[in-house]
Structure formats: structure tokens, C-alpha cells
Amino acid sequence: MTNFEQQRAKLGDWLRQLREDADLNGKAFAKLVGWNAPKVSKIENGRQTASAEDLETWIAALQVPATVADQLRAALAGLTEEYISWKERLRVGHHAVQEQAITREANARLIRAVDVGLIPGLVQTADYARHVLLAISNLHGAGRDITEGVRARMRRQQVLYEPGKTIEILISYSALIHPICPTDVMAGQVHRLIATIGIPNIRFGVIRPHTELPYPLTHGYWIVDNLVMIEQVHAELVLYDPDQVTKYTRLTDMLWSPAVTAEGDEARALLLRVLDRVTTTS
């Protein structure tokens, strides 16, 4: 359990105790505030982060004293982001990290991946993924279960074919011309991207080279439903603050502008030119 999950569980326990002190069971409290009972259960059991509005509803319904209410607000404010070093995350190994991603993405309705220097994991080939995980292990000196991690990453890709999901994959042209793997592996990866174009429920695009951007794109990120994940060199940052998620959503919309992004036949043509260059130099 991450530190974020521990802190969210503590807040849930605190809210449960306040409800029980008011001599209300979960169903009675849900009815009092106009929610469904599962929402109350998820918040109290640390499976869902209460929004600021949720917390204020809780405080008002139970007439929580002002000093305690301020403490609750401070506790929730500390849950707006989660910062985990790669050394800490990889302590459990690549396989465990990928399994966590499988669960998160299986439950998601919306996945928007924007990457600058890498091909996103959901559309990586096994050989490409192996080089990515090996590079991470070499830098951080942890997570040596590369083979198991690659296998789990390949299982993640089943989500691409599940109905009812919206999945967007947007990559920078630089991810294609500055590969993290040998040319033969990159050629196979480009073929995989070409095959991705046209798969139902998947929107694939490439940020055109030599194009003016609407905002400096200094790192890649993922939007998964109501959270944003940012992979930095030394750590992964997860944002839960709705205002921050909205900013990244706006940026993603801007990057998908027709003036910036190549899709469909144009994206395929870009990939074919990259493939020709890769195969010529290999």
C-alpha cells in the first residue's frame, strides 16, 4: 500500500468514526445526504477519495465541530497528489507495478496517453517494452524482473479491445526518431503503431514535426478517468486535484488540434517515412 493509499484509508476511518459517533449506519447516512450507500462505503474504506464537496457535505450533515472540520480539510488537502520515487515503486518489481496498472486501466472508462520520448506502454511491442524496463532498471538499480514485467505489460494491452472505453494515444515525433532500442526493434514497434490506426475505440495521433505547439511539452503524462500520472526521471507524480486534472485535459485537447496532430492517413504516412528511415539505416 502506497503512502497515499494509507493516508486515504486513515481519512476514511476518521469519517466512519464520525458517522458512528452520530449513531448512523452507512445506509442511513447515505439517505441523509442523498448519496447511494456504495459511495459511503468506498470513501470510508479508502477505495475512493472524497472530493472537497463530499467532505463539506459530511461535515454539515454530522455538524462536525469547526476545529475538527479544519483538520479534516487539511487531511484531504494532503491527498491532492501522490509522489513516489522510482526506487520505492520498483522495490516490489516491474511485474507488480504492471499489475497495478492492469487493475487501474481495467476499471477506467477514459485513458488519454501523451508521450514525448517513448511509445506508451499500451501500444508497445514486447521487444520495445523490454528495452524500456531495462533502461529504468539500469538507472535506478532496482526491479530486475524484466521478463515478468514485459509479460504483464503485454497483458495490459487487452484493455485496447474492451468495449465501452475511450482510449487516446498521442506521441511526439521525437519518440519515433530518438528510439530507446536498436533499429530492428524500432522497426517492429513502428509496424505495431501502423496496425493500431483504425482499431475501434482507439484514437492514435502523432504531433507533427516542426510544428508550433500551444504550450511547452516538457514531459509525457497519462489521464486515467479523474487522475493524471506524470513519469519523471526520479519519480512518478499522480495528481488527484480536479483543477489540475482539468488543466491537463485542456492541454490534451489543444495538442489534439488538427493544426498540431496528424491522424489517420497522415499519421500512417508519417510512420511509413520513419519506418523507411529505420530500415534503411539498419
Side-chain angles (χ1 to χ4, degrees), residues 34-46:
W35 295 348
N36 57 53
K39 177 176 179 176
V40 175
S41 176
K42 288 178 181 178
I43 290 175
E44 292 185 346
N45 288 292

Side-chain angles (χ1 to χ4, degrees), residues 67 69 84 126-127 148 200-201 228 247 275:
T67 54
I84 309 173
D127 287 339
E148 293 79 3
N201 301 326
V228 174
K247 285 185 176 66
L275 182 61

Side-chain angles (χ1 to χ4, degrees), residues 83-159:
Y83 201 78
I84 309 173
S85 71
W86 279 110
K87 183 175 182 180
E88 177 184 352
R89 181 169 289 283
L90 291 175
R91 189 173 292 130
V92 296
H94 285 294
H95 178 264
V97 171
Q98 295 302 311
E99 289 291 341
Q100 292 169 4
I102 289 174
T103 300
R104 179 176 56 243
E105 292 159 1
N107 294 326
R109 307 295 294 179
L110 172 66
I111 300 172
R112 308 181 81 182
V114 178
D115 225 319
V116 179
L118 285 176
I119 308 302
L122 286 181
V123 288
Q124 290 178 2
T125 65
D127 287 339
Y128 185 95
R130 185 177 303 278
H131 284 277
V132 172
L133 298 187
L134 183 60
I136 293 172
S137 292
N138 287 340
L139 179 62
H140 298 289
R144 290 291 172 178
D145 56 335
I146 305 296
T147 298
E148 293 79 3
V150 170
R151 289 172 180 163
R153 177 161 287 192
M154 293 302 100
R155 289 201 305 277
R156 280 178 62 187
Q157 298 183 5
Q158 295 175 7
V159 76

Side-chain angles (χ1 to χ4, degrees), residues 225-239:
D225 284 342
N226 297 317
L227 62 83
V228 174
M229 296 179 296
I230 303 169
E231 292 189 0
Q232 301 173 330
V233 172
H234 63 296
E236 181 180 60
L237 175 63
V238 184
L239 304 177

